[in-house]
Amino acid sequence: MAGENSEFPSTGVLESAQYIYENADDVTISGEECKRAAMSIYSAMQRKSYSTETWSSNVLNPKTKDASTVDWIFLVDLLNFSFWSDVDLTDTGKSESNRFTVNWEGKGWTGYWSLCALVNRALAQGIPITTPTFWNNPRECSDELLTYLFRSDTSECVPLLTDRIACLREAGKVLTEKFDGSFVNCIKQADGSAVALVHLIVENLPCFRDEAEYKSRTVKIYKRAQILVADIWACFNQQAYGYFRDIDQISMFADYRVPQILHNLGCLQYSDSLISHIRNLEALPHGDPREVELRGCSIWSVEIIKSEILKAYPDGKINSILLDFYLWDTAKELQSTLAVSDSIPCHRTRSIFY
């Protein structure tokens, strides 16, 4: 049982991010632009009253606050990866009409929100899709049924379906055999420590173990493990299942969208060769040094932005999680504008880790 004297002083993510930043070849951070961005970001967050309560405002997120909500969040973050479209994202009309889409309650949902929509669609059909013991029963929860649940309302299928099913099977087995069939028991075992919970997740579930070899060192990114903890923290508004005394140890969640907007803000700067690679929509394999640098430097730049905000506003209620939520939401709002402007597109890495 993890207590106040947890054997885990940190997740290891921030140490890895600093190492990546200090040794990067193709990605650099502009301290001056981070400082400038910090002031504008904080002002915008204040205007929008950005807080943990913002999480529940989205129509697709659960409004209940109980164990079933924890199971919903766990499933969504278990499968929260690789929703970018194979369609050329610079062609916004074509992209929106053909990319993987789930129609739910009168609206077509794409990207991450398509996952939330398909989970809600399955629950409305009476299918216990958020129940780990269900995933662990291939007779009731067959691959054919899961393929049906992941059906698209357009011509493009969900990416990495086989990997998603494998993640469900792995998590179903682990949670059934080790945690009495619910992620709630992982939270209880972590005993109020976000750091301990991240370690529990990555040690027991390899599909969350988001690590890479970078310049002779294993670096830890842990995007999905950390966002799982953060979503529970935000959903429960820092109470009950969402209480974590060390929540500020959680970093931002290095994906596609946040590096894009950090580059747009000037916080991240890329080598000419990396810019050309991304603009040409060329694949960047998971674990490629450039991909590791994009993610690690994104984490470290958000730490710099947070530090600048707290330097100017010592009593500011801000952490890397809220900054990430804001940056990701803003990047989505600006998606069509960014796609047709001179801004760099998202990098293309097909991976289960983000």
Side-chain angles (χ1 to χ4, degrees), residues 63-311:
K63 302 301 180 283
T64 57
K65 310 288 183 184
D66 55 25
S68 69
T69 313
V70 172
D71 289 337
W72 187 97
I73 293 171
F74 178 82
L75 172 61
V76 167
D77 285 324
L78 174 67
L79 303 178
N80 179 9
F81 55 82
S82 200
F83 284 99
W84 58 268
S85 175
D86 283 317
V87 176
D88 184 349
L89 295 181
T90 61
D91 182 350
T92 55
K94 183 178 179 182
S95 173
E96 288 306 309
S97 63
N98 289 341
R99 67 181 299 190
F100 175 71
T101 300
V102 174
N103 292 332
W104 174 244
E105 294 192 335
K107 181 175 178 179
W109 300 91
T110 59
Y112 163 76
W113 296 114
S114 66
L115 173 61
C116 301
L118 74 85
V119 170
N120 291 344
R121 181 176 66 183
L123 290 172
Q125 292 180 269
I127 299 168
I129 187 61
T130 57
T131 304
T133 53
F134 179 65
W135 319 328
N136 198 40
N137 186 339
R139 188 175 61 225
E140 291 184 10
C141 182
S142 65
D143 287 1
E144 291 74 19
L145 175 59
L146 290 172
T147 300
Y148 167 75
L149 295 180
F150 276 95
R151 68 192 181 278
S152 177
D153 289 298
T154 62
S155 59
E156 187 177 55
C157 298
V158 65
L160 301 181
L161 176 59
T162 300
D163 296 273
R164 295 180 199 281
I165 293 174
C167 288
L168 280 167
R169 301 296 187 209
E170 175 184 283
K173 179 178 175 62
V174 170
L175 291 181
T176 298
E177 295 180 357
K178 293 186 176 182
F179 297 99
D180 199 25
S182 177
F183 187 68
V184 163
N185 294 313
C186 292
I187 297 173
K188 291 178 178 178
Q189 188 169 327
D191 193 27
S193 170
V195 170
L197 185 53
V198 168
H199 281 281
L200 269 174
I201 294 165
V202 299
E203 287 173 4
N204 286 282
L205 293 158
C207 68
F208 280 93
R209 203 171 297 150
D210 179 10
E211 300 175 348
E213 292 301 314
Y214 179 74
K215 297 192 174 182
S216 304
R217 177 168 164 175
T218 299
V219 291
K220 303 172 180 180
I221 308 294
Y222 296 163
K223 185 264 185 179
R224 284 172 38 243
Q226 289 197 111
I227 204 170
L228 171 54
V229 176
D231 280 344
I232 291 169
W233 173 74
C235 172
F236 289 89
N237 202 22
Q238 310 174 56
Q239 303 296 319
Y241 295 123
Y243 167 73
F244 299 105
R245 61 182 172 273
D246 53 356
I247 194 64
D248 289 345
Q249 289 287 323
I250 301 299
S251 78
M252 65 79 76
F253 321 116
D255 65 351
Y256 312 93
R257 287 290 173 203
V258 178
Q260 181 192 34
I261 196 166
L262 288 171
H263 181 272
N264 183 252
L265 291 168
C267 301
L268 293 185
Q269 299 175 355
Y270 303 163
S271 67
D272 290 343
S273 62
L274 179 56
I275 288 175
S276 175
H277 193 97
I278 295 174
R279 285 198 186 282
N280 290 333
L281 304 179
E282 297 176 49
L284 200 57
H286 176 65
D288 183 292
R290 296 165 297 176
E291 184 253 0
V292 174
E293 290 176 11
L294 282 167
R295 302 182 74 203
C297 289
S298 294
I299 294 169
W300 198 246
S301 67
V302 169
E303 290 302 305
I304 294 172
I305 290 168
K306 179 181 70 174
S307 177
E308 291 293 341
I309 291 173
L310 292 175
K311 192 185 301 180

